[in-house]
Amino acid sequence: MNIQNPPRSGGNGAEPRRKSRRTPKGRQIDPRAAEEVGALLGDRSRQRDLLIEHLHLIQDKYGHISGAHMAALAAEMKLSQTEVYEVATFYAHFDVVKEGETPPPPVTVRVCDSLSCAMAGADRLLKDLPKTLGPDVRVVRAPCMGACDRAPVCAVGHVQVMKANESSVKNVAYPTTHAHALHPGTDFEHYMAAGGYRLLGEAFTGKRTRDELIKIVSDAGLRGLGGAGFPTGRKWSLVRAEPGPRLMAVNADEGEPGTFKDRYYIALDPHRFLEGMLLAAWVVEAAEVYIYIRDEYPELRLMLVEEIAKLERAGLNKFTKIHLRRGAGAYICGEESAMIESIEGKRGLPRHRPPYVAQVGLFGRPTLEQNVETLYWIRDIVEKGAAWVTSQGRKERKGFRSFSVSGRVKKPGVVLAPAGVTARELIDEYCGGMIDGETFKAYLPGGASGGILPASMADEPLDFGTLEKFGCFVGSHAVVILSGKDDMKAVALNLMKFFEDESCGQCTPCRVGSEKAVKLMERGPWDVALLTELSDLMRDASICGLGQAAPNPLLCVLKFFPEELAKPLRAW
């Protein structure tokens, strides 16, 4: 039986006329927000990869990012509002205020609760500061701020307070909480007077060749000092073999708890780093270089803006354009492909590999990615020769290494020591010994992800490839010294909470695995079989190194400190 649909209009069966909308679909652009965003952006480019930079402008001006401002920014940049929202909500330093929500107070105090600061009393600060500062100041937990040698650390707005206490935090001038440019240890004028950029000039004039520089750094055994340890000369050769145009990205986003050496070297001698960067860019013929610096280092970023302008005025970057990009509080952006996504103005989600960054990196081009400290040593290595490097070292290791040392030692800080030095030698020869009354109990050889070893294993050489047999690694050479005062279960829990917070959420093994591990560790007693099974799953199935390495401290406690498993969890 064929039943026809009845006509949708009365009488003659004609289609009804639809009423036109009075407004377009979606969130409407607030005229005032549009005017404010337009004024902030001024004559700046609206290109897609500057989205994070423009979000920072709004955050810095208003102390938060409202829905109206996000909609206006999307219209200015010709992006969908979803694109702007997903980026703004991904990064910890953007305070997104949804419709109907109350904006945060004008001043936010972030208290670092990563391991070295937790050991120095961060939990007490988190408890006491809200009462001291009052309701007009927001106090929140925050991950490592790269000042572990001066723990505990707080950030009042963009101003960091080292060895913080209630009084020192309260005395930071309100509401002026913006950082000022740091005066470098060696500025442009002094660096030039001491022979700076002479090597770069020799490269430009043909006195040095690209193959020569590759051979010198290869003979010296220079490796990526951000944690991966990939041979630098080989990386240069791989990138050069790819078709042009090529780009370069510099990783100044050291977010590993316990790591602060890049901060130290940029502040000490920024142009030694910048000259090494321009030399590396020249070797691979990168027409543009992007420096990605973490938002926790505002005084360094502002200083680099000034110092880069000086070298540009001197014409020292005639073959390479320099871009300085600002992170926004995401540890995952220390992973090279996540950093590249962030430079492109996106969420910092690690890419699946292959292809590798050297093949398909920034904006789809072959990209040389390097760490700050790796670039810092290039000038010295080329000028002094490979033998200067290889003549140093202990226990059959060659070269030197920079260690970020924090924790229960008298003199924490950046230590330049021979490759192969041991944790015990670092404590006794370079850090003035343990704090009075403290007994050396254990140490982290490579930051939060490098595992934990007992003091009985403190005579193992600290270098690439020496600790993997124990389930550990040196990574970025961040050494945290623990004492009898520290509960190993609490240490592992602190580190796992960090990974839970910093997981980008892209893959289930890391996102859910770290969350479940924290709950199991907090609840206790520790189920060794279940925690081991969960750790194996995270290691095998996570996309990137964050999820793969997150269980290392937990597994080390199970392996090296079984006597502590039956004890109740003890906080600092």
Side-chain angles (χ1 to χ4, degrees):
M1 183 175 179
N2 185 19
I3 301 177
Q4 296 184 349
N5 291 326
R8 287 187 289 172
S9 62
N12 58 10
E15 288 288 327
R17 296 185 63 183
R18 295 183 179 180
K19 292 182 179 180
S20 60
R21 288 180 174 271
R22 294 184 179 180
T23 59
K25 288 183 177 181
R27 177 190 286 273
Q28 304 310 299
I29 307 302
D30 179 87
R32 181 176 178 181
E35 182 180 345
E36 291 170 344
V37 169
L40 277 177
L41 268 58
D43 59 359
R44 292 178 173 87
S45 170
R46 270 63 167 173
Q47 65 196 56
R48 172 67 175 82
D49 55 290
L50 291 174
L51 174 56
I52 293 173
E53 296 295 313
H54 296 343
L55 286 168
H56 273 302
L57 292 175
I58 299 172
Q59 175 74 39
D60 290 346
K61 174 70 174 178
Y62 297 102
H64 65 278
I65 301 174
S66 68
H69 282 141
M70 283 191 288
L73 181 60
E76 280 279 348
M77 299 186 71
K78 294 181 171 56
L79 298 173
S80 70
Q81 294 183 29
T82 300
E83 288 178 280
V84 176
Y85 180 82
E86 71 176 7
V87 171
T89 54
F90 181 85
Y91 295 93
H93 289 187
F94 294 143
D95 291 309
V96 174
V97 177
K98 301 174 185 176
E99 191 170 345
E101 291 184 342
T102 303
V107 177
T108 293
V109 175
R110 289 182 165 85
V111 181
C112 175
D113 69 344
S114 290
L115 183 57
S116 296
C117 286
M119 294 162 62
D123 284 344
R124 178 182 50 79
L125 280 174
L126 282 162
K127 178 182 177 182
D128 295 342
L129 280 176
K131 295 179 286 187
T132 301
L133 302 177
D136 293 333
V137 178
R138 179 178 60 159
V139 179
V140 298
R141 293 178 176 270
C144 185
M145 297 180 184
C148 316
D149 54 331
R150 291 166 284 181
V153 185
C154 296
V156 183
H158 286 297
V159 177
Q160 286 194 1
V161 182
M162 313 297 181
K163 296 187 176 180
N165 54 44
E166 293 174 65
S167 176
S168 62
V169 173
K170 187 176 182 179
N171 288 337
V172 174
Y174 297 142
T176 305
T177 55
H178 295 289
H180 300 284
L182 176 80
H183 186 75
T186 302
D187 61 15
F188 179 74
E189 292 76 15
H190 289 90
Y191 186 75
M192 290 291 288
Y197 292 108
R198 181 174 55 204
L199 178 59
L200 184 65
E202 292 176 356
F204 288 170
T205 58
K207 291 182 180 179
R208 299 278 188 170
T209 68
R210 292 178 171 87
D211 289 338
E212 177 188 4
L213 265 59
I214 290 174
K215 185 177 188 308
I216 292 172
V217 299
S218 298
D219 291 346
L222 181 64
R223 304 176 71 161
L225 298 172
F230 193 86
T232 301
R234 184 180 172 196
K235 180 180 283 190
W236 289 0
S237 296
L238 289 171
V239 174
R240 280 191 70 202
E242 296 293 326
R246 306 178 197 94
L247 300 173
M248 180 176 176
V250 178
N251 192 339
D253 192 60
E254 56 175 0
E256 183 82 12
T259 306
F260 45 89
K261 60 187 177 64
D262 289 350
R263 180 181 200 159
Y264 171 82
Y265 283 121
I266 293 174
L268 178 69
D269 200 347
H271 289 279
R272 193 170 297 272
F273 147 63
L274 291 169
E275 183 171 11
M277 177 189 78
L278 290 172
L279 281 165
W282 175 79
V283 167
V284 302
E285 300 176 85
E288 296 182 72
V289 56
Y290 291 77
I291 304 172
Y292 186 85
I293 188 165
R294 67 184 308 206
D295 199 32
E296 288 84 352
Y297 296 169
E299 74 289 350
L300 292 189
R301 178 176 54 81
L302 295 171
M303 178 265 284
L304 283 175
V305 169
E306 296 178 358
E307 297 301 315
I308 289 171
K310 294 176 184 178
L311 74 85
E312 288 177 337
R313 286 195 293 268
L316 294 168
N317 68 318
K318 58 184 178 180
F319 293 115
T320 306
K321 185 176 182 180
I322 302 173
H323 305 271
L324 188 61
R325 293 293 174 85
R326 178 179 173 185
Y331 166 72
I332 191 62
C333 290
E335 196 275 339
E336 62 176 5
S337 66
M339 177 187 70
I340 281 175
E341 290 287 302
S342 190
I343 292 173
E344 293 179 355
K346 306 171 189 173
R347 294 177 295 166
L349 302 180
R351 297 177 179 177
H352 293 269
R353 293 175 288 186
Y356 296 94
V357 166
Q359 302 165 309
V360 181
L362 263 173
F363 311 115
R365 303 308 313 166
T367 302
L368 173 67
E369 188 273 341
Q370 298 271 227
N371 162 262
V372 166
E373 195 201 350
T374 306
L375 299 171
Y376 183 89
W377 294 115
I378 287 175
R379 175 190 165 190
D380 285 302
I381 290 171
V382 175
E383 289 184 343
K384 297 178 182 179
W388 170 69
V389 180
T390 58
S391 63
Q392 304 177 58
R394 296 181 182 179
K395 297 177 177 64
E396 301 181 355
R397 313 300 296 184
K398 293 183 179 181
F400 52 82
R401 301 285 183 265
S402 299
F403 295 88
S404 306
V405 186
S406 62
R408 311 290 190 187
V409 291
K410 288 182 179 177
K411 296 191 300 182
V414 174
V415 169
L416 186 63
V421 71
T422 68
R424 199 179 309 278
E425 289 167 342
L426 282 176
I427 296 170
D428 296 339
E429 297 179 31
Y430 295 90
C431 296
M434 298 290 292
I435 293 174
D436 291 341
E438 302 284 356
T439 303
F440 181 30
K441 178 180 180 179
Y443 65 104
L444 278 65
S449 56
I452 308 172
L453 290 172
S456 60
M457 299 175 66
D459 296 314
E460 295 291 333
L462 299 177
D463 202 9
F464 296 112
T466 61
L467 302 179
E468 280 74 2
K469 58 188 175 184
F470 306 117
C472 300
F473 53 79
V474 293
S476 58
H477 293 75
V479 179
V480 183
I481 304 300
L482 308 172
S483 76
K485 183 184 292 186
D486 302 308
D487 178 357
M488 293 300 103
K489 291 169 66 179
V491 170
L493 178 58
N494 176 280
L495 300 174
M496 188 61 78
K497 283 183 176 180
F498 169 79
F499 291 121
E500 178 192 19
D501 290 340
E502 294 298 323
S503 173
C504 73
Q506 181 178 190
C507 68
T508 303
C510 176
R511 181 185 69 250
V512 178
S514 56
E515 178 189 0
K516 296 298 182 185
V518 165
K519 290 180 178 178
L520 289 170
M521 295 164 75
E522 285 181 324
R523 187 177 66 196
W526 284 17
D527 186 325
V528 174
L530 184 57
L531 286 169
T532 301
E533 183 180 1
L534 179 59
S535 298
D536 290 342
L537 184 146
M538 292 177 65
R539 281 178 154 183
D540 293 341
S542 295
I543 290 174
C544 80
L546 191 155
Q548 294 163 9
N552 287 348
L554 163 62
L555 292 172
C556 284
V557 171
L558 298 180
K559 181 177 181 180
F560 298 116
F561 303 93
E563 70 282 359
E564 298 207 11
L565 299 183
K567 299 177 182 178
L569 189 66
R570 175 168 47 91
W572 286 282

